[in-house]
Amino acid sequence: MSLASSLSRYVFHPLWDLKEGSRRLRILRELERSQWLPLEVLRARQRKRLERILAYAATHSPYYRRLFQQQGFDPKNFQLHTFRALPLLTKSVIRASTDEILSTEFKRDELGMHKTGGSTGVALTTYFDRDWIETRTADAMRSDQWARCYHGMKVASLWGNPPIPRSLKGRLRALLRDRFVYLDTIDLNEHSLSAFIGRWQREHPEILFGHSHSLFMLARYVLDRGIHNLRPRGIISTSMMLLANERQVIEEAFGCKVNDRYGSEEVALIACECEQHQGMHLNIEHLFIEFLRPDGTEAEAGEEGAIVITDLLNRGMPFIRYRIEDVGVPSARTCPCGRGLPLMERVTGRVADYLKRRDGSMVAGVSLVERTLTAIPGIEQLQVVQPAVEEIVLNVVRAPDFSPATEQALLAEFRTVFGAGIDIRPQYMERIPQERSGKYRFAICRV
Ligand SMILES: [Zn+2]
């Protein structure tokens, strides 16, 4: 660790917390210990926290008070099967009942607020209390450590609309505490990429962090230009699914393993890979996580299920059995690292990324893209858009080894998956278009 990083970690970070009255670093120290506790101990704690937030919601949230009464659910007499019978909290319920869900214990302006952009077309506003934001930050800091990233280190960050500090306080914080070198992913071009790499070579960030696909784009750029001196000690990929072929390219470009992370703004860090890269450790200390089949029963290990989250700490806006609209695979394996936190195998996609066949069955769009990229040579990037059930547009970025056979194989693959009689149209482009947030989507179903 450099001197500046050590100063930031051991002096400026603690001073900042002291001045702000933040419990962030104290929570982090506790989390550093608790990750090694046996699973049964962590499960017992989780159960207690679950009962506590349910009791809290029954008392302070008019929405849950009414819901629990209607369902005959009594948090004081907690039973898992009655809990699992509670209806799911969906994004449309949140939009329709925000005021009722919010805790009466807080005034609205005491809560933090987050608006998620509308990559699926509809925006969502959620709230959280101050204690929750400190825990959420500590959760992220602990999982940063699994990528050999400690607070205070300088981070090369690939992010859409990065914050630009304007106040003196903000500038001081950026200089001493949050030490970032940003590349704005909204605007990836020759000029911004080469300026970013120039800054990297001067400032030597220790960690690379960003949206999975933006990391890949940077990695490609670096490899194509034969740049070999960008050597972070850790790479954290987040915000979208990390495709297997993209992981390979990123690791090759920077000579370093990638730690994949999964979370969302509404409930923060859900799961993260440790240094063993054997799946993702679930954040069961602060979340109760279910994987559900379409009929609402629990998916088994190795089986895909819709991810449903109960946030154990956010009292400002309790999230109980929240259907996050992602699909993932739980695991029964234990990780060789020895942490007690259980594993999930992977996230297989967002519900919104599922494409539809004419018979009504669904295809995991991102997994299909991943498989196609692995199986068919000549394609650099692929995005599948389905404007109508019988129409599929393939946005293709060609690789140097692209040939007419590539297109034939691509069309054949998609005909096999979607059946004959579907209009499949390849469209060749320089790069995959981004969302406004700077993120990318590989599969877009508009049906
Ligand atoms: Zn592990």
Side-chain angles (χ1 to χ4, degrees):
M1 205 191 270
S2 71
L3 178 62
S5 299
S6 300
L7 269 175
S8 177
R9 180 177 173 189
Y10 296 112
V11 180
F12 299 128
H13 271 267
L15 280 177
W16 198 276
D17 275 21
L18 200 65
K19 184 177 164 297
E20 298 288 307
S22 171
R23 295 156 50 244
R24 191 180 56 118
L25 292 175
R26 254 188 295 153
I27 301 169
L28 174 64
R29 279 197 296 276
E30 169 55 27
L31 288 173
E32 285 170 352
R33 282 192 292 271
S34 61
Q35 62 185 333
W36 303 105
L37 292 171
L39 178 59
E40 312 79 69
V41 177
L42 292 172
R43 284 270 186 233
R45 279 189 182 191
Q46 183 193 36
R47 172 71 175 254
K48 262 198 202 121
R49 285 177 175 165
L50 177 60
E51 291 180 28
R52 205 188 308 152
I53 194 74
L54 291 168
Y56 180 88
T59 315
H60 295 284
S61 161
Y63 171 82
Y64 288 109
R65 192 184 311 138
R66 186 169 49 80
L67 185 79
F68 293 174
Q69 272 163 11
Q70 277 168 3
Q71 299 290 317
F73 174 75
D74 178 10
K76 287 196 201 79
N77 180 22
F78 178 85
Q79 283 173 321
L80 206 51
H81 71 274
T82 53
F83 170 74
R84 285 190 191 281
L86 289 173
L88 301 181
L89 177 69
T90 61
K91 291 190 165 124
S92 57
V93 171
I94 294 176
R95 275 191 289 271
S97 317
T98 305
D99 292 348
E100 236 202 321
I101 296 172
L102 290 181
S103 164
T104 51
E105 195 192 13
F106 299 91
K107 292 200 195 73
R108 182 79 69 108
D109 59 8
E110 291 170 342
L111 297 173
M113 183 187 74
H114 191 270
K115 281 184 193 212
T116 48
S119 62
T120 47
V122 206
L124 186 72
T125 305
T126 57
Y127 294 85
F128 46 85
D129 58 77
R130 186 187 147 98
D131 286 353
W132 182 88
I133 195 90
E134 291 178 351
T135 311
R136 164 196 175 122
T137 309
D139 274 340
M141 289 164 89
R142 177 175 70 178
S143 71
D144 287 347
Q145 296 179 357
W146 302 347
R148 307 204 301 155
C149 172
Y150 291 85
H151 56 282
M153 287 182 176
K154 189 166 266 195
V155 178
S157 180
L158 277 46
W159 209 249
N161 302 312
I164 300 163
R166 300 195 192 280
S167 64
L168 178 64
K169 184 177 168 185
R171 284 205 293 269
L172 268 177
R173 187 160 98 167
L175 182 70
L176 304 175
R177 203 196 87 169
D178 304 331
R179 306 167 63 233
F180 287 104
V181 180
Y182 278 113
L183 172 62
D184 188 349
T185 55
I186 301 287
D187 193 22
L188 284 185
N189 55 52
E190 175 68 38
H191 176 74
S192 65
L193 282 163
S194 81
F196 174 74
I197 288 169
R199 250 193 101 186
W200 183 322
Q201 285 162 336
R202 285 192 304 279
E203 300 190 24
H204 307 290
E206 292 151 288
I207 302 298
L208 176 58
F209 173 92
H211 300 153
S212 320
H213 190 67
S214 304
L215 292 173
F216 165 76
M217 303 268 283
L218 176 67
R220 258 278 159 257
Y221 182 90
V222 163
L223 285 175
D224 288 348
R225 279 153 191 78
I227 301 168
H228 299 297
N229 61 352
L230 306 181
R231 289 287 176 263
R233 47 180 281 148
I235 304 177
I236 298 166
S237 160
T238 182
S239 278
M240 50 186 299
M241 259 182 77
L242 174 64
L243 306 181
N245 69 305
E246 299 202 337
R247 183 195 288 259
Q248 213 179 347
V249 170
I250 299 165
E251 292 183 347
E252 186 190 335
F254 300 105
C256 178
K257 288 275 197 185
V258 178
N259 286 63
D260 195 15
R261 178 183 294 183
Y262 166 54
S264 86
E265 289 296 341
E266 306 93 279
V267 296
L269 181 81
I270 300 169
C272 185
E273 276 180 20
C274 72
E275 61 286 341
Q276 298 287 336
H277 309 279
Q278 306 262 332
M280 291 169 150
H281 286 284
L282 292 165
N283 180 13
I284 67 163
E285 287 171 276
H286 300 139
L287 302 173
F288 185 85
I289 304 164
E290 302 171 72
F291 296 85
L292 301 183
R293 297 183 181 128
D295 67 1
T297 58
E298 226 183 322
E300 279 173 32
E303 184 187 5
E304 262 190 3
I307 300 175
V308 169
I309 306 256
T310 299
D311 190 313
L312 303 177
L313 295 181
N314 185 2
R315 290 172 303 141
M317 184 176 200
F319 278 80
I320 292 169
R321 302 204 81 216
Y322 171 53
R323 184 173 175 273
I324 196 165
E325 299 187 356
D326 290 325
V327 179
V329 180
S331 172
R333 292 182 297 109
T334 50
C335 186
C337 72
R339 289 183 182 85
L341 299 166
L343 294 175
M344 72 184 282
E345 297 291 345
R346 62 191 172 274
V347 180
T348 44
R350 299 199 308 177
V351 174
D353 297 336
Y354 276 65
L355 306 164
K356 294 192 179 86
R357 289 197 189 90
R358 275 195 294 189
D359 65 3
S361 62
M362 312 279 268
V363 179
V366 181
S367 304
L368 178 61
V369 167
E370 185 167 44
R371 194 178 75 196
T372 310
L373 288 175
T374 321
I376 304 175
I379 307 170
E380 174 78 37
Q381 295 166 40
L382 175 65
Q383 181 188 50
V384 186
V385 185
Q386 187 172 32
V389 174
E390 308 202 338
E391 193 183 345
I392 286 179
V393 179
L394 302 173
N395 290 330
V396 179
V397 178
R398 284 167 284 202
D401 54 346
F402 180 89
S403 73
T406 309
E407 182 176 304
Q408 279 161 22
L410 187 61
L411 291 175
E413 167 74 11
F414 276 78
R415 280 197 197 105
T416 312
V417 174
F418 289 92
I422 302 282
D423 178 22
I424 300 170
R425 231 173 335 123
Q427 218 165 243
Y428 296 98
M429 44 184 62
E430 286 297 305
R431 63 174 53 180
I432 301 294
Q434 300 170 293
E435 305 288 307
R436 264 176 309 179
S437 60
K439 289 194 207 175
Y440 295 84
R441 288 176 68 196
F442 298 120
I444 300 172
C445 179
R446 300 217 174 96
V447 183

